[in-house]
Amino acid sequence: MLRQSHTEYSGYRTTGVRLTEPTLPDIVSHSSEADLPLLSGAHMFDKAHLIMLAEEDLIPRREAVAMLKALREMEAEGMEKVRLEVDGGIHSGEQYLIRGLGEEVGGRIHLGRSSGDLGAVSRRIRQRENLIELMDRINEARLVLLQAGEENLDAVMPGHTHTQHAQPLTLGFHFLSWASVLERDYQRADSTYQRVNQSPAGSAILTGSNFALNRHRTADLLGFDGVIENTHDAILNLDVALDSMVAAAMVGLNLARWASDLNFWFTSEARYIDIPDRFCGTSSIMMQKKNPYALEHLRASAAECMGSLMTGFAVLKAGSGEVNTDRQYLYEALWRSFDLSLRNLRWFAQLIPGVEPKRDHMKEMAGAYWAQATDVAGALVSERDMPWRTAHQIVGILVRLSYERGIKPSEVTPELVDEAAMAYNGQPVGMSATVLQKALDPVEFVNGRTLFGGPAPEECLRRLVDFRARLREGQASVQEKQRRLEEAAASMEHAIDALLK
């Protein structure tokens, strides 16, 4: 007899049923350890599916009650621990129930289900948990950046383009620009959550079931915001997984860019900032070294996240009828991307408050290499009613002359400006020393940028009001999502209690 003894039941892939020999474990793994990220979601689906089957009278209520009682006993012992011991991956619930209650009872749980929707539900539950945590961590980093931004609105420093000094700004303004990016990262994750938190339950593998499953009831019990309308789409189109990978990879990419900035500011040549020792290491031979290990991890792990995204695209390029076992590679890459991005956000939120700006040195450097040149040209436009391009060319000559003669910007005189003007169009400009010195002051440069979104401290303080308001909205949205899922979990337990009465 091919039917397994229920006490030793090891799953539906019994040798001699459809296949004459066991599948090599290296080819297909259905272990609970391999499916560890999905066990919690599978357990939730097991309970919700049983509740729905009982309420719709698709299985005898007494047998649904027996299985729900057994699942609560599993929880009392430790859900994850038991499912790992039982093995069977996402099917570990069925294996546990058949071993404990026999196939006549435990064998009924899979009515109307497939590995398809069992896996799809479990993966979406894991994705939404990761996305909520990602949004929460993003908001923590936004808060840190807003606080550090406000504290450093007067920390004038050089801004860079093409790795060269470009224009003066402040460290606080720089931090606020990063907070702006994280706002978009939050919005991206939030938008992804809306698409992820839709229920594929009841879709089986392609067409659902001819049993009258109540897909909406299962979705409500599981805390999904809606039901995917097409059962084929629910199982075989995995674009929302790529959405999640993009959300995680973009966070990783942005943190890597900022790690590069911090790394440059920390170099011996720049010396704009110091970072806490706990984020650094040293050398076994060069005892003077303080190596920014955390920044290097942030940069390198972004490469892995981007590589994972490419893995996802490559897996899903196949036709929908081909995608099945190979999707495991996509999801392994996705879970890894989430883990790295969550870790990196935690590090980043801890690092930024410890960044120590070298204010005097940054301010000195902000005016040392002509980053303020555009304001000298602007003064010529304002004071002498000169066309911008004419002023631009005169100041370009002025900069060249100062470098050729070893004259610092702070030492430039109106006479040198006139010499540059004579070289360009044969006419002196007669700029006053007072106007010239104000134009050469990097602090004045920053303070003059009062336009909307500019770096002037007064404008940054106005923008901080809006930044903080949007952050509060994001924090409230995350709390609402968490509350909604907690309510759904409580509703499922109440439904079980009602059946057990």
Side-chain angles (χ1 to χ4, degrees):
M1 185 173 70
L2 291 173
R3 182 168 179 167
Q4 301 175 63
S5 167
H6 73 272
T7 58
E8 298 176 357
Y9 182 75
S10 60
Y12 60 87
R13 298 175 179 88
T14 306
T15 302
V17 177
R18 174 60 182 89
L19 304 177
T20 59
E21 58 182 359
T23 304
L24 291 174
D26 289 350
I27 293 177
V28 179
S29 174
H30 298 283
S31 71
S32 291
E33 185 175 357
D35 285 340
L36 184 59
L38 307 182
L39 295 185
S40 177
H43 186 76
M44 292 171 62
F45 191 14
D46 282 349
K47 293 196 296 183
H49 189 63
L50 282 172
I51 293 167
M52 182 274 295
L53 290 177
E55 291 176 348
E56 300 297 323
D57 293 324
L58 294 174
I59 62 174
R61 181 164 297 216
R62 65 181 180 278
E63 295 177 359
V65 166
M67 285 186 276
L68 289 167
K69 283 182 178 179
L71 291 178
R72 280 193 166 174
E73 291 170 2
M74 177 196 287
E75 292 169 354
E77 190 175 345
M79 179 276 294
E80 191 173 281
K81 168 181 172 293
V82 172
R83 285 179 178 263
L84 285 169
E85 292 172 351
V86 170
D87 216 13
I90 57 176
H91 292 279
S92 53
E94 181 184 35
Q95 291 187 195
Y96 172 81
L97 293 173
I98 290 177
R99 289 182 193 179
L101 302 174
E103 191 171 317
E104 289 300 321
V105 176
R108 296 183 184 274
I109 188 174
H110 206 57
L111 180 69
R113 275 202 320 193
S114 164
S115 299
D117 60 344
L118 182 52
V121 167
S122 303
R123 287 189 290 268
R124 284 178 181 257
I125 287 174
R126 172 63 189 269
Q127 283 181 76
R128 76 183 183 191
E129 291 171 350
N130 283 155
L131 286 166
I132 286 177
E133 188 175 2
L134 186 70
M135 287 185 279
D136 198 34
R137 291 277 177 89
I138 289 172
N139 286 341
E140 289 176 4
R142 289 168 68 186
L143 177 61
V144 163
L145 285 171
L146 296 182
Q147 292 171 337
E150 184 172 17
E151 292 167 3
N152 291 282
L153 290 180
D154 59 346
V156 178
M157 66 181 295
H160 295 79
T161 61
H162 300 277
T163 72
Q164 304 296 306
H165 285 212
Q167 292 182 323
L169 40 70
T170 69
L171 180 61
F173 183 66
H174 215 124
F175 284 159
L176 294 185
S177 77
W178 294 356
S180 296
V181 175
L182 284 179
E183 276 193 14
R184 294 192 293 276
D185 283 337
Y186 172 83
Q187 293 163 0
R188 190 175 294 109
D190 187 37
S191 173
T192 299
Y193 182 90
Q194 295 172 34
R195 291 185 291 280
V196 166
N197 202 37
Q198 302 293 316
S199 177
S203 297
I205 191 59
L206 286 176
T207 62
S209 173
N210 61 340
F211 292 97
L213 306 179
N214 188 336
R215 296 186 64 207
H216 289 85
R217 173 58 170 160
T218 308
D220 287 341
L221 290 168
L222 291 171
F224 286 111
D225 295 327
V227 176
I228 300 173
E229 295 178 346
N230 183 288
T231 58
H232 186 286
D233 174 45
I235 303 304
L236 295 183
N237 293 329
L238 306 182
D239 51 290
V240 292
L242 287 181
D243 276 350
S244 293
M245 296 184 93
V246 169
M250 284 298 297
V251 169
L253 175 63
N254 289 326
L255 293 178
R257 291 194 302 113
W258 304 336
S260 293
D261 288 343
L262 291 165
N263 191 58
F264 169 70
W265 298 345
F266 182 58
T267 60
S268 301
E269 290 74 19
R271 295 186 296 116
Y272 297 162
I273 64 169
D274 195 7
I275 61 177
D277 288 356
R278 62 184 176 276
F279 295 100
C280 301
T282 190
S283 167
S284 65
I285 183 173
M286 297 170 287
M287 67 293 296
Q288 81 279 9
K289 296 296 293 297
K290 181 177 175 180
N291 300 324
Y293 285 173
L295 301 181
E296 293 165 1
H297 279 293
L298 291 177
R299 293 164 64 187
S301 58
E304 184 171 351
C305 290
M306 288 183 279
S308 294
L309 180 58
M310 293 303 101
T311 296
F313 277 110
V315 167
L316 294 189
K317 67 179 175 56
S320 59
E322 299 175 57
V323 177
N324 202 336
T325 304
D326 50 357
R327 70 184 64 183
Q328 74 187 63
Y329 295 95
L330 181 156
Y331 285 102
E332 288 171 1
L334 174 58
W335 310 143
R336 176 64 174 164
S337 293
F338 271 127
D339 289 344
L340 289 173
S341 294
L342 291 169
R343 181 203 68 181
N344 292 350
L345 281 165
R346 173 171 55 83
W347 283 356
F348 185 75
Q350 294 170 354
L351 170 63
I352 291 301
V355 169
E356 179 186 339
K358 306 298 184 182
R359 289 171 175 261
D360 291 341
H361 177 64
M362 290 195 314
K363 179 180 175 182
E364 179 185 355
M365 288 297 100
Y369 295 99
W370 282 105
Q372 69 277 59
T374 50
D375 266 16
V376 178
L380 291 176
V381 172
S382 300
E383 297 294 322
R384 292 291 179 265
D385 192 27
M386 188 177 292
W388 170 256
R389 185 54 61 209
T390 303
H392 175 277
Q393 297 295 282
I394 290 171
V395 175
I397 296 170
L398 175 66
V399 170
R400 175 174 56 79
L401 292 176
S402 74
Y403 278 125
E404 289 174 352
R405 299 175 188 180
I407 299 172
K408 297 178 181 178
S410 60
E411 298 170 346
V412 167
T413 63
E415 290 73 22
L416 191 60
V417 178
D418 281 343
E419 183 180 343
M422 291 292 292
Y424 183 67
N425 62 7
Q427 297 180 8
V429 294
M431 177 181 278
S432 72
T434 300
V435 170
L436 177 59
Q437 288 307 308
K438 182 178 180 181
L440 289 168
D441 187 344
V443 175
E444 291 289 342
F445 186 104
V446 170
N447 291 340
R449 262 64 179 179
T450 58
L451 77 167
F452 182 90
E458 60 187 273
E459 171 58 16
C460 286
L461 289 172
R462 287 191 288 268
R463 299 282 65 77
L464 269 165
V465 174
D466 296 333
F467 278 131
R468 288 188 168 121
R470 291 191 294 271
L471 174 57
R472 287 192 296 271
E473 291 175 0
Q475 291 169 327
S477 179
V478 170
Q479 292 173 356
E480 174 59 23
K481 290 177 176 64
Q482 292 170 329
R483 185 197 63 78
R484 166 81 177 91
L485 295 180
E486 289 167 359
E487 285 186 352
S491 176
M492 181 150 61
E493 296 308 315
H494 292 326
I496 294 173
D497 291 339
L499 287 170
L500 296 185
K501 286 181 180 179

